[in-house]
Amino acid sequence: MSELKVKTMADCLANGETPEILFWVGCAGSFDDRAKKITKAIVKILNKVEMSFAVLGTEESCTGDPAKRAGHEFLFQMQAMNNITVMNGYGVQKIVTGCPHCFNTLKNEYPALGGNYEVIHHTQLIQQLINQGKLKVEGGNFKGKKITFHDPCYLGRANNEYEAPREVIAKLDAELVEMKRSKANGYCCGAGGAQMFKEAEHGDKEVNIERSEEALALEPAIIAAGCPFCNTMMTDGVKHFEKEESVKVYDVAELIAQAADL
Amino acid sequence: MQFGITNVIFLVLLGVTGFVAFKKYASLIRNIRLGKDLNRNDRLGDRLNVLLRVALGQSKMVVRPVAGIFHIFVYVGFIIINAELLEIIVDGVFGTHRAFSFLGPVYTILINSFEILAVLVILGCLVFLARRNVVKLKRLNMKELVGWPRNDANIILITEVCLMSAFLIMNSADWYLSTQVSKFPVVVKEFGLEHYAHSGVSENAFLLSPWISGWMPGINYIVYIERFCWWFHIIGICGFIMYLPYSKHLHILFSFPNVFYSNLEPKGKFNNLESITNEVKAVFDPSFTPPADAVPGKFGAKDVSDLTWKQLLDSYTCTECGRCTSVCPANTTGKLLSPRKIMMATRDRLEEVGRGLDTQGPDFKDEKSLLHDYITPEELWACTSCNGCTEACPVNIDPLSIIIDLRRYLVMEESAPPSELATVFANMENNGAPWQFSPADRLNWANEN
Ligand code: SF4
Ligand code: SF4
């Protein structure tokens, strides 16, 4: 595996460099073992196209999304103000992130607090890179494989981005199959609104089991996701049905990184 | 033209309807104004656009084709047939007969389309009745609909079938009288039917009338049928207008303003509470003084008066169709949360507060509140904030915004989040992450294999 080239904003400042884009890693992408792999896949892609980017590293803090959705507005705004102070200090203009929750919060809720940035999701960036010819992908071992894409609520319904991840998957020459509940009709993985961090309320089923069942019914080789939380939820669901040998859950960035042999 | 006692009765009927309706609608508007301010007068072009697409164009109804298509029948039929109401009123007030028939061929086309639409409306209502009572579609038979909501739906559907039938029969009887009556000179004299013969409708003008009138009893009775249906139709419509404000069918009026004032921002964007922004700014900058007009207020919503007028308008607009609930991940996995119930509870509580204000004056207060008495924390905490409900709602209602405002009250005023979330909050405060990791380890991934 090639060495990851990652700079922090502080490094850049010290060297007098201004990176083109800030890569917002997010809490899951920084600390969760499974999500770290997605983070690395994104970095590999950025390295491959030699994009000038930096991360905040230890200066990054949670965007406040779970606090906001759980109703702790005060905590959310404290987090937001902290992050905005740091980012504005570095003169950040453009942000890419691998987490739809960070994406949504940075894009929609930071501006009113003084944080105005152009924010894109990593699937949108990958789509742009492919379309601009900067990143070449061929199907490789995904050719002809059945892939279904699970729309993250905070990318899809919350921000109307349904096409970027699908276009990227289409570049793999794979067979993209849709679940009945997809795009605007998509079904939550069960992690949003701070549910990731608590036991579900009493019911007769877990949301991620319901969703994984729907995905597995298509008998895909791969369930693609674009969110670290969806990824965890779907992975757990696949395990629940003991299908982890035959069905893999990958982030779109991981699919591209693998196909491009990075 | 004859003016007599019937015209007086008619005018009294209209007057009473107008008065009763005015009072009730005024109280609905008063109730909605109990909500907090929210500026939704921006982006006029976008608002007209969404009004055109979603309300007039029914774009979100047809997402579910069966309900969508039959709903369009009922909707178009209802709007267009009400043009006929104008003629009924003119006839009723001035004692004219088919006042608009001077329109000639245009009139023929109009009445024919009314007749066809009336049949389609009846068909639509029968399908809807069947879906509720025979097929028992799940979302139309859930527990929050037991009792009044279910009866309300059935009452209105049956009323519509009756009204449309009355309209069709009235028109057919009238057609018979105006075109055939001259063949029975004796009867004309006996019943005083002369004016029917001069209504200006030609014999083969209408498609359905001749056919329907073929089923009717002899000429001697048809005039009673015609009069009965005429009165039944207009009394029915007056009753309907007075009934509407008590019914989920209020959506036929409120969905238009409700859609016009839709949330046009991305669905994921929640508002940033301004009172908190002031506090947070003060934490960061002790010299910061909040603007003079800043209202401290409470954080989040406990009762209906803590919600915005738009959230309250939403609650009156809800048609209880349950499209929101049928896509809700919490509800579909058996949890207590139902976004439809959130809307119904908000309306029920608002009505209760409104009644209190009516009987006890502006200082009315009771021991109850929307949170806890109508909506429990268990329901609120089951929401994944996925926006499935707001996407599915055909009239752009936003149950999620109410859920979040109530959660805000639970967390910031009552300090009562679920215990795991309390831990998450503490972690975020101390470590800048929902998990207990040191911020110093944030970049470790870059050096791990
Ligand atoms: S936002 Fe909440 S209430 Fe609405 S569908 Fe999703 S989980 Fe249900
Ligand atoms: S909120 Fe909308 S979707 Fe839900 S029941 Fe009411 S009208 Fe139907």
Side-chain angles (χ1 to χ4, degrees):
Chain A
M1 189 179 77
S2 59
E3 191 68 356
L4 293 178
K5 291 195 281 291
V6 188
K7 281 186 198 155
T8 63
M9 289 302 271
D11 296 339
C12 292
L13 186 72
N15 299 338
E17 293 167 33
T18 320
E20 190 185 324
I21 194 165
L22 168 70
F23 173 31
W24 183 277
V25 182
C27 300
S30 303
F31 294 121
D32 179 85
D33 284 336
R34 175 68 188 86
K36 283 184 202 170
K37 294 188 185 153
I38 305 170
T39 307
K40 289 181 198 167
I42 296 172
V43 170
K44 285 179 196 164
I45 293 168
L46 294 173
N47 283 166
K48 166 80 182 173
V49 300
E50 295 178 349
M51 184 170 251
S52 96
F53 77 97
V55 297
L56 283 171
T58 55
E59 288 184 277
E60 189 186 285
S61 189
C62 179
T63 57
D65 162 82
K68 178 108 185 165
R69 314 300 132 192
H72 202 332
E73 179 75 8
F74 188 82
L75 179 54
F76 160 72
Q77 289 199 17
M78 291 292 289
Q79 288 297 123
M81 294 279 194
N82 260 323
N83 285 321
I84 290 169
T85 310
V86 172
M87 285 192 286
N88 288 356
Y90 285 118
V92 169
Q93 308 270 330
K94 192 171 172 186
I95 306 175
V96 62
T97 175
C99 173
H101 295 270
C102 298
F103 166 73
N104 176 69
T105 307
L106 294 167
K107 175 170 176 285
N108 293 320
E109 288 159 4
Y110 275 32
L113 301 171
N116 292 290
Y117 320 103
E118 184 195 336
V119 189
I120 57 172
H121 185 246
H122 70 293
T123 55
Q124 294 173 320
L125 179 69
I126 296 172
Q127 179 198 28
Q128 286 168 14
L129 292 172
I130 293 175
N131 289 349
Q132 291 162 354
K134 291 184 185 157
L135 183 64
K136 300 228 172 354
V137 199
E138 273 164 31
N141 44 3
F142 299 117
K143 216 174 183 139
K145 286 225 169 105
K146 226 194 224 182
I147 301 183
T148 187
F149 179 68
H150 163 81
D151 287 277
C153 303
Y154 273 84
L155 183 63
R157 262 194 308 270
N159 288 292
N160 276 320
E161 180 57 86
Y162 305 108
E163 290 314 317
R166 288 181 168 77
E167 248 187 59
V168 171
I169 293 170
K171 299 287 178 209
L172 299 171
D173 298 323
E175 184 196 348
L176 180 64
V177 285
E178 294 287 356
M179 288 180 259
K180 196 164 155 231
R181 290 180 287 196
S182 67
K183 300 189 181 171
N185 275 326
Y187 190 80
C188 185
C189 69
Q195 298 295 340
M196 180 72 191
F197 308 103
K198 62 185 260 300
E199 284 293 310
E201 320 308 309
H202 176 74
D204 39 50
K205 204 176 193 179
E206 298 289 339
V207 175
N208 68 325
I209 302 300
E210 166 85 8
R211 184 52 163 171
S212 310
E213 196 172 6
E214 183 174 7
L216 291 173
L218 298 169
E219 302 191 331
I222 289 156
I223 300 173
C227 168
F229 298 108
C230 297
N231 196 307
T232 304
M233 290 310 226
M234 299 306 280
T235 306
D236 287 351
V238 170
K239 281 198 192 120
H240 174 91
F241 291 105
E242 296 174 356
K243 282 274 179 357
E244 62 268 39
E245 289 306 317
S246 54
V247 183
K248 301 287 173 215
V249 180
Y250 284 126
D251 191 274
V252 173
E254 294 177 298
L255 294 176
I256 295 301
Q258 279 186 43
D261 212 8
L262 303 176
Chain B
M1 191 192 294
Q2 312 159 304
F3 194 86
I5 182 73
T6 49
N7 304 91
V8 177
I9 296 175
F10 184 80
L11 280 169
V12 170
L13 175 69
L14 286 191
V16 169
T17 307
F19 179 73
V20 173
F22 178 81
K23 275 197 69 178
K24 183 61 192 168
Y25 287 101
S27 95
L28 289 187
I29 290 167
R30 191 265 328 262
N31 288 355
I32 291 168
R33 284 163 158 253
L34 294 176
K36 293 194 300 188
D37 273 355
L38 173 74
N39 182 13
R40 286 273 166 95
N41 284 318
D42 56 339
R43 297 169 68 177
L44 190 67
D46 294 338
R47 298 203 173 280
L48 288 173
N49 195 351
V50 70
L51 179 75
L52 230 61
R53 259 185 311 120
V54 175
L56 289 162
Q58 307 261 301
S59 61
K60 288 174 95 177
M61 275 307 294
V62 290
V63 172
R64 302 198 186 185
V66 177
I69 286 165
F70 285 105
H71 186 267
I72 286 180
F73 289 168
V74 177
Y75 157 76
V76 175
F78 200 80
I79 289 187
I80 297 194
I81 291 166
N82 276 337
E84 166 71 9
L85 200 61
L86 207 61
E87 188 181 46
I88 295 192
I89 292 176
V90 171
D91 284 349
V93 172
F94 298 105
T96 46
H97 185 71
R98 288 199 183 263
F100 296 165
S101 58
F102 69 89
L103 292 170
V106 176
Y107 189 72
T108 309
I109 293 171
L110 276 179
I111 299 286
N112 270 312
S113 59
F114 295 166
E115 289 193 341
I116 291 166
L117 280 168
V119 173
L120 291 179
V121 172
I122 293 173
L123 186 71
C125 291
L126 293 177
V127 170
F128 290 155
L129 279 167
R131 280 155 63 91
R132 280 178 189 272
N133 301 295
V134 184
V135 187
K136 292 200 193 287
L137 224 66
K138 184 162 171 260
R139 77 182 149 94
L140 302 176
N141 281 281
M142 294 171 70
K143 63 175 183 297
E144 65 248 31
L145 296 185
V146 169
W148 169 247
R150 173 181 297 163
N151 295 341
D152 178 26
N154 283 331
I155 289 172
I156 214 95
L157 286 169
I158 291 168
T159 309
E160 277 183 58
V161 170
C162 294
L163 286 178
M164 287 302 122
S165 306
F167 168 78
L168 273 176
I169 296 170
M170 171 189 85
N171 214 53
S172 308
D174 190 82
W175 170 86
Y176 187 89
L177 291 168
S178 34
T179 58
Q180 311 297 311
V181 84
S182 53
K183 297 174 188 157
F184 306 90
V186 184
V187 185
V188 168
K189 261 219 147 82
E190 192 181 325
F191 288 92
L193 302 179
E194 287 82 358
H195 64 282
Y196 280 106
H198 307 295
S199 70
V201 171
S202 72
E203 187 161 336
N204 42 18
F206 304 146
L207 296 170
L208 298 181
S209 286
W211 181 60
I212 296 172
S213 60
W215 297 344
M216 291 181 189
I219 174 96
N220 310 9
Y221 299 103
I222 287 192
V223 66
Y224 295 115
I225 294 178
E226 192 274 336
R227 281 292 88 189
F228 176 80
C229 288
W230 191 91
W231 280 103
F232 183 88
H233 188 67
I234 188 70
I235 292 173
I237 300 246
C238 288
F240 189 80
I241 291 169
M242 293 187 274
Y243 177 86
L244 266 189
Y246 299 92
S247 160
K248 79 192 193 82
H249 285 81
L250 194 53
H251 78 275
I252 66 173
L253 299 177
F254 277 18
S255 49
F256 298 98
N258 199 64
V259 168
F260 181 81
Y261 291 117
S262 294
N263 175 22
L264 300 176
E265 299 294 329
K267 286 189 159 62
K269 176 179 179 175
F270 293 4
N271 63 342
N272 291 327
L273 289 184
E274 213 173 308
S275 49
I276 289 189
T277 311
N278 288 332
E279 291 211 7
V280 171
K281 277 188 184 153
V283 171
F284 276 73
D285 172 11
S287 67
F288 171 83
T289 33
D293 57 347
V295 263
K298 48 180 127 136
F299 299 140
K302 182 184 192 194
D303 210 346
V304 283
S305 52
D306 305 323
L307 296 171
T308 68
W309 63 265
K310 178 58 170 66
Q311 289 166 318
L312 301 182
L313 176 62
D314 273 355
S315 77
Y316 276 127
T317 309
C318 175
T319 68
E320 298 168 12
C321 67
R323 290 185 182 211
C324 53
T325 295
S326 72
V327 298
C328 173
N331 189 277
T332 47
T333 52
K335 279 123 199 153
L336 218 47
L337 172 64
S338 158
R340 165 171 58 188
K341 204 218 111 184
I342 299 285
M343 300 320 299
M344 294 170 71
T346 304
R347 182 180 56 203
D348 290 349
R349 172 62 185 158
L350 183 55
E351 282 281 290
E352 183 177 63
V353 172
R355 278 194 303 275
L357 290 171
D358 287 338
T359 52
Q360 294 172 42
D363 297 326
F364 164 77
K365 276 225 155 24
D366 62 6
E367 296 299 300
K368 293 199 206 157
S369 59
L370 178 62
L371 179 62
H372 298 302
D373 292 304
Y374 284 80
I375 298 171
T376 59
E378 181 176 348
E379 291 163 72
L380 297 172
W381 290 119
C383 174
T384 70
S385 72
C386 71
N387 267 304
C389 51
T390 59
E391 177 71 38
C393 180
V395 288
N396 283 1
I397 285 170
D398 187 352
L400 176 55
S401 69
I402 298 180
I403 294 173
I404 294 298
D405 282 341
L406 296 176
R407 277 187 182 182
R408 285 171 172 171
Y409 189 88
L410 277 176
V411 169
M412 292 187 291
E413 297 278 352
E414 295 187 356
S415 303
S419 61
E420 304 106 306
L421 288 187
T423 311
V424 166
F425 296 153
N427 287 335
M428 277 174 66
E429 260 167 63
N430 300 329
N431 314 321
W435 298 288
Q436 209 179 10
F437 289 109
S438 161
D441 293 338
R442 249 193 200 264
L443 198 53
N444 287 0
W445 58 268
N447 307 312
E448 292 167 359
N449 268 325

